[in-house]
């Protein structure tokens, strides 16, 4: 039985685990997990980016990002190369195969998105995202 906790962190992590399971189940047939889908989607939106820019955009440390990138790189969905302008930086890019995989996975992601919003309300879901963005930003200050 679930209990109400006074701990904000625990509440957010419990919700995140349940929501992650919803999206992972919807994406299962694509071979992607929601964490991988998110990396691909953000990379598509940003275009070629350094690891640091992508990590910052995802609110993820570089080692966790690296862990999430390895299977994507192995499958040829992303390429990681030394940046031409800054030899110390690594530039990440979505491949044509990665763009195709992302496009194929999007309807499955949309199914999970719709299911979440049907259960919680579209307006409430939008408001939740707004609150969570604000909470994430304030926690990093």
């Amino acid at each position: 039985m679930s209990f109400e906790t006074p701990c904000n962190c625990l509440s957010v992590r419990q919700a995140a685990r349940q929501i992650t399971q919803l999206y992972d189940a919807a994406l299962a047939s694509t071979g992607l997990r929601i964490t991988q889908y998110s990396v691909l989607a953000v990379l598509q939106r940003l275009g070629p980016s350094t690891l640091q820019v992508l990590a910052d955009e995802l609110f993820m440390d570089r080692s966790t990002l690296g862990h999430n990138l390895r299977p994507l790189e192995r499958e040829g969905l992303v390429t990681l190369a030394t940046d031409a302008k800054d030899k110390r930086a690594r530039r990440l890019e979505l491949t044509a195969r990665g763009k195709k995989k992302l496009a194929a996975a999007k309807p499955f992601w949309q199914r999970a998105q719709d299911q979440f919003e049907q259960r919680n309300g579209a307006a409430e879901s939008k408001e939740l995202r707004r609150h969570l963005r604000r909470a994430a930003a304030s926690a990093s200050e």
Side-chain angles (χ1 to χ4, degrees):
M1 174 172 248
S2 185
F3 65 94
E4 188 171 329
T5 176
C7 180
N8 296 314
C9 186
L10 178 58
S11 293
V12 170
R13 291 177 64 85
Q14 287 172 328
R17 282 190 285 272
Q18 291 298 311
I19 295 166
T20 296
Q21 287 175 9
L22 170 71
Y23 281 79
D24 279 347
L27 288 166
S29 66
T30 71
L32 292 174
R33 297 181 56 87
I34 189 58
T35 50
Q36 296 168 324
Y37 178 89
S38 298
V39 168
L40 296 176
V42 169
L43 188 55
Q44 182 178 46
R45 183 174 50 79
L46 292 175
S49 301
T50 64
L51 286 174
Q52 190 60 56
V53 167
L54 184 59
D56 290 346
E57 188 69 22
L58 292 165
F59 287 90
M60 191 180 284
D61 64 75
R62 284 182 53 166
S63 63
T64 302
L65 177 59
H67 176 74
N68 282 291
L69 287 173
R70 279 188 208 82
L72 299 175
E73 192 175 17
R74 267 195 314 267
E75 292 178 35
L77 305 179
V78 299
T79 57
L80 188 60
T82 303
D83 189 298
K85 295 177 185 172
D86 181 356
K87 300 295 182 197
R88 297 168 297 162
R90 309 257 308 192
R91 185 159 290 289
L92 190 62
E93 191 168 350
L94 199 56
T95 64
R97 185 175 179 175
K99 291 174 186 173
K100 186 176 178 181
K101 180 82 157 182
L102 183 61
K106 188 168 183 175
F108 296 93
W109 171 86
Q110 188 65 57
R111 186 175 304 141
Q113 186 81 355
D114 293 344
Q115 189 175 4
F116 182 87
E117 290 189 358
Q118 286 169 1
R119 292 177 183 173
N120 297 284
E124 291 83 352
S125 296
K126 185 176 182 178
E127 186 70 6
L128 175 63
R129 290 189 302 273
R130 189 179 70 74
H131 282 292
L132 290 171
R133 277 192 308 275
R134 190 178 71 212
S138 71
S140 66
E141 291 176 347

